Amino acid sequence: MATVIFIKEGRQNRSAMRAVINYCQQEYKIFDSKSKRRLVSGVNSDGDNAYREFMATKKVYGKDNGIFFYHYAQSFSPTEKITPEQAHEIALEFAEKAWAGHEVLVTTHCDAAHIHSHFVINSVGFESGMKLRQSPSTLKKLRKLSDEICLSHGLSVLQPYDGGGKRMSTREYRARMKGESWKQKLANDIDKAMEFSSSKDEFIRSMSILGYHMTWTDERKYLTFHCPNGKSCRDIKLHDEKYLKDNIERELHQREFPSGEKLPTGWEDSCELYEQHLRERALSKAGMQRTADSYSDIGSGVSSLVGAISKIVDNDSEDPDERRKRIEADENDSALGTVLGLGIGMITSAAADSQEETLNQEPDFEQEEHKTREEILHEIFGADDYDYDNYDDSEDEDEDEGFSMTL
């Protein structure tokens, strides 16, 4: 998914503008080792000479004061399958449509897990000489434009949230861009837990394995998640309707009683993964049953062999000479018979022990269903994947939601 944020700069002068441009053009950040290309470009300007061109335009129109520049960033999720070169091309397309008539420096940084592009915009238009105007709705429009471009390239975007509640703050967007948002981590963990849950109890158990506990009662309208980093979050603040209490409850109810009417909940993709998990578990059980049956076949074969040997009888009707020869043959074969009997006994004992061990190992899937699920969750969500030191504990829930700059 791609996000766009506005980076508010505390200082507005030529030195501050030069510092931001130099930061965006750092060689180790902009060099793409795969394409062997420096990802620095300009819209209506030469990217490498952005500072000089910005200042030249300002002096031509006598507007080298006030607001000098604006700074934005477009970031992609670390899970997005996109190359730095592709991200740079998307950034150029975005800049051309977003700030027509203005000089824009576009650089793409590929030194972090999340590929992101920076935009430094000259506040003075090179054609009209007019200064760029911003409003509280500017960021919303830019995000919509970014989503349209990303979708046209087959990339994912953040889903719009229309369920009410607090809007996503600039700080939260910035944290998501860096991959440091604890709320995004919570949302990802809920997604994973839902892949292995078919009831409320199973979902609570899965979240507990991941280190969360919840306040979930019929009397409360909202579901509250208490995170391992000590923070708490209501479902309404996760910016997606599928995380709301009603939708989670409805989805789990439909999984527990699949014969009922299916209602849209937003968890359709997760439900497909859960059903795939059930199919894999059924195949595993069938394989264990086939192994147990194979040991039963060995036992049957040994029993048949013992029965055939037991059919050797003494025939009193034979003449004395034949009887003597038969007795000598029986005596010669007695040792072989003893060895054969011992061997059959050992095979029978081993088969019985193996069969008993297999049957003892075969789980009662009705009684140990939760245990198997927990083991799977532990295997998938290993402790190493959950470094809670990466949570962004500095987030301020009361931060101002918008910004307004008009000059």
Side-chain angles (χ1 to χ4, degrees), residues 4 40-45 47 54 70-74 76 86-108 117-122 126 132 141-143 145-147 149-150 153:
V4 175
V40 177
S41 302
V43 175
N44 301 319
S45 71
F54 284 16
Y70 295 100
H71 187 188
Y72 287 86
Q74 181 187 49
F76 294 90
Q86 290 173 333
H88 193 68
E89 296 302 321
I90 291 174
L92 283 173
E93 182 180 349
F94 175 68
E96 290 173 354
K97 295 180 179 180
W99 299 289
H102 287 262
E103 297 156 311
V104 185
L105 167 67
V106 181
T107 66
T108 299
S117 299
H118 287 266
F119 309 92
V120 183
I121 306 100
N122 189 358
F126 74 97
L132 181 65
K141 294 178 181 178
L142 292 176
R143 287 173 178 169
L145 174 61
S146 174
D147 287 349
I149 294 174
C150 288
H153 286 268

Side-chain angles (χ1 to χ4, degrees), residues 58 113 117 143 163 200 215-216 228 230 234 250 288 320-322 339 391 395 398 404:
K58 293 177 185 298
S117 299
R143 287 173 178 169
K200 177 180 176 180
T215 301
W216 190 343
R234 285 185 176 180
R250 186 180 299 115
M288 297 180 70
D321 186 59
E322 290 178 347
V339 173
Y391 281 102
E395 177 171 337
D398 298 326
S404 175

Side-chain angles (χ1 to χ4, degrees), residues 201-397:
D201 290 340
E202 290 182 357
F203 177 70
I204 293 174
R205 185 179 297 106
S206 299
M207 290 298 290
S208 177
I209 292 173
L210 300 177
Y212 299 88
H213 67 277
M214 291 173 282
T215 301
W216 190 343
T217 63
D218 295 336
E219 294 76 18
R220 292 175 179 265
K221 180 179 180 181
Y222 303 109
L223 175 60
T224 302
F225 298 90
H226 305 284
C227 305
N229 64 346
K231 290 181 175 290
S232 297
C233 180
R234 285 185 176 180
D235 54 9
I236 202 170
K237 294 184 180 179
L238 290 175
H239 312 293
D240 193 325
E241 287 189 349
K242 73 176 184 179
Y243 298 116
L244 295 178
K245 176 185 175 184
D246 290 343
N247 283 332
I248 291 179
E249 287 181 338
R250 186 180 299 115
E251 177 64 29
L252 292 174
H253 180 78
Q254 291 178 170
R255 294 186 188 184
E256 191 171 6
F257 304 100
S259 59
E261 180 184 0
K262 288 285 186 180
L263 298 175
T265 61
W267 288 104
E268 284 70 23
D269 292 340
S270 175
C271 188
E272 290 181 5
L273 293 173
Y274 172 70
E275 292 174 351
Q276 179 181 351
H277 160 67
L278 292 181
R279 290 193 294 270
E280 292 174 352
R281 191 178 67 179
L283 290 174
S284 176
K285 181 177 180 180
M288 297 180 70
Q289 185 62 48
R290 285 194 298 271
T291 302
D293 292 342
S294 66
Y295 283 120
S296 298
D297 294 339
I298 293 175
S300 299
V302 171
S303 299
S304 299
L305 180 58
V306 172
I309 294 174
S310 66
K311 292 181 180 179
I312 299 176
V313 296
D314 185 11
N315 187 355
D316 294 331
S317 64
E318 57 192 352
D319 62 53
D321 186 59
E322 290 178 347
R323 180 181 179 82
R324 180 180 56 79
K325 292 180 180 180
R326 183 181 59 76
I327 291 174
E328 288 178 355
D330 289 344
E331 289 175 351
N332 291 334
D333 292 339
S334 62
L336 177 61
T338 302
V339 173
L340 181 60
L342 291 174
I344 293 171
M346 293 175 65
I347 294 174
T348 305
S349 177
D353 292 342
S354 300
Q355 183 177 3
E356 181 180 357
E357 180 181 352
T358 302
L359 295 177
N360 288 338
Q361 289 178 352
E362 182 181 14
D364 184 343
F365 281 86
E366 294 182 355
Q367 296 181 359
E368 298 191 11
E369 181 180 1
H370 300 317
K371 178 180 177 182
T372 303
R373 180 170 293 104
E374 287 179 301
E375 290 174 351
I376 293 173
L377 285 171
H378 276 300
E379 180 180 349
I380 296 176
F381 315 136
D384 295 340
D385 295 335
Y386 287 83
D387 182 3
Y388 300 119
D389 294 336
N390 289 332
Y391 281 102
D392 182 9
D393 291 334
S394 61
E395 177 171 337
D396 184 3
E397 296 287 351

Side-chain angles (χ1 to χ4, degrees), residues 172-190:
E172 171 68 7
Y173 251 86
R174 185 175 299 188
R176 293 195 177 203
M177 182 190 73
K178 295 179 180 178
E180 299 175 353
S181 170
W182 64 272
K183 287 185 180 179
Q184 184 62 49
K185 185 176 180 64
L186 168 60
N188 293 340
D189 288 345
I190 295 173

